[in-house]
Amino acid sequence: MSRILFVLTGADHWTLADGTRHPTGFWAEEVTVPYEAFTAAGHEVVVATPGGVVPTVDDGSLTDDTVATAVEAMTELRRPIALADVRLGDYAAVYYPGGHGPMEDLATDAESGRLLGEALASGRPLGVVCHGPAALLATGADGASPFAGYRLTGFSNAEETQGGLAPRAPWLLQDRLAGLGADVVVAEPWAPHVVVDRNLVTGQNPASSAGVAEEMLRALA
């Protein structure tokens, strides 16, 4: 059995371009589906957040009773460790789910940025889904991002537009990832889409979280 680190947003809102706060947090499906896959395979999951705050679930992701029940049953969410206390050597893999929360905090979190760079360099499976790739923007503080040149995906401009928030967004994830020098590959909105490049496994949207977990488990086997 290995330990897998889940890095979740500690934010409960996303500040829009006009200064208003859009209530958010983590997206339930992107946490519970991989959690169930990893634990069913015998792995232990540890949750970390900035400052060790208990993460907030985006209410919009709780429309399915099964998912809501799974969030409630996931006791790890109620006792996260502080991101600053994470030692990468304690974990076999690292996973970042989305929700709009990472756009607020992980996109500028230096501790998270260092962890991502270390995880990428270590060769450990590194899974990142939907808006989770916003955390990649905190890398490369001393120069080019280590993710420059990697093929990856994330929540697309088309999906943000169809979701209704693009006109009010201070920035769009797909554009910012391209600005890192990454090769951003997006597919049809809302369809499962997973991109694997070396040890980096990325998923475009909530429907891609199962595929990301599957690829990570394959790498861990």
Side-chain angles (χ1 to χ4, degrees):
M1 181 180 71
S2 299
R3 301 172 84 196
I4 299 177
L5 182 71
F6 276 37
V7 180
L8 271 63
T9 176
D12 62 4
H13 69 277
W14 180 29
T15 305
L16 301 178
D18 63 1
T20 60
R21 292 185 168 195
H22 172 69
T24 186
F26 68 85
W27 198 258
E29 177 184 358
E30 297 168 22
V31 171
T32 61
V33 170
Y35 174 81
E36 290 167 1
F38 292 139
T39 55
H43 300 292
E44 177 188 356
V45 168
V46 176
V47 172
T49 63
V53 302
V54 175
T56 299
V57 62
D58 190 313
D59 284 343
S61 66
L62 297 177
T63 54
D64 185 308
D65 287 344
T66 301
V67 174
T69 300
V71 169
E72 184 62 30
M74 191 174 162
T75 58
E76 293 87 349
L77 291 171
R78 297 192 287 275
R79 44 181 173 80
I81 65 172
L83 194 52
D85 294 334
V86 168
R87 292 176 49 191
L88 181 62
D90 293 337
Y91 304 96
V94 178
Y95 173 69
Y96 278 68
H100 281 99
M103 306 279 275
E104 183 72 21
D105 62 352
L106 295 180
T108 58
D109 190 290
E111 293 287 353
S112 174
R114 282 193 289 272
L115 174 64
L116 284 164
E118 291 172 5
L120 189 69
S122 75
R124 290 171 172 78
L126 173 59
V128 196
V129 171
C130 198
H131 287 94
L136 276 54
L137 302 177
T139 65
D142 301 323
S145 168
F147 293 92
Y150 273 76
R151 292 181 73 253
L152 54 83
T153 192
F155 203 69
S156 68
N157 290 356
E159 287 165 323
E160 204 73 84
T161 298
Q162 291 179 18
L165 283 174
R168 304 172 63 197
W171 47 272
L172 296 175
L173 179 59
Q174 182 180 340
D175 294 343
R176 284 290 182 90
L177 292 174
L180 285 182
D183 179 9
V184 185
V185 184
V186 297
E188 289 297 313
W190 316 113
H193 178 56
V194 176
V195 176
V196 181
D197 188 346
R198 287 156 278 184
N199 61 316
L200 177 64
V201 185
T202 51
Q204 180 171 320
N205 47 38
S208 307
S209 56
V212 168
E214 186 177 312
E215 291 290 347
M216 292 178 69
L217 284 169
R218 185 175 291 119
L220 285 167

